[in-house]
Amino acid sequence: MKQVYPTFIVNTNDGSGHPFLVCVPDLDIFTEGETFADAIEMARDAIGLTGISMEDHQETLPAPSDQ
């Protein structure tokens, strides 16, 4: 079954190499990207790896919130 988790992407405009910060609160994920597209890709990767890790440890994926 596919789940959809709320994901927040913020452009910090701080001139750093990774100005796009990503947060997926339901999975306690924080990542970043160089561009908006890169931030989306990083979020997808992080969500997928978190799900695989949780399955490997017989943990139950949390239900998505309605944030």
Side-chain angles (χ1 to χ4, degrees):
M1 175 195 306
K2 288 192 176 190
Q3 305 268 9
V4 178
Y5 291 98
T7 303
F8 302 95
I9 302 175
V10 177
N11 184 350
T12 62
N13 290 317
D14 64 0
S16 70
H18 302 281
F20 291 90
L21 302 179
V22 181
C23 176
V24 185
D26 294 339
L27 299 173
D28 293 324
I29 293 173
F30 297 92
T31 188
E32 57 192 6
E34 293 180 23
T35 65
F36 188 75
D38 185 44
I40 292 171
E41 185 176 337
M42 295 298 286
R44 282 186 186 152
D45 288 348
I47 291 167
L49 290 172
T50 298
I52 289 169
S53 177
M54 290 180 78
E55 286 179 352
D56 288 349
H57 292 97
Q58 277 78 49
E59 297 173 358
T60 303
L61 288 169
S65 65
D66 58 358
Q67 294 186 32

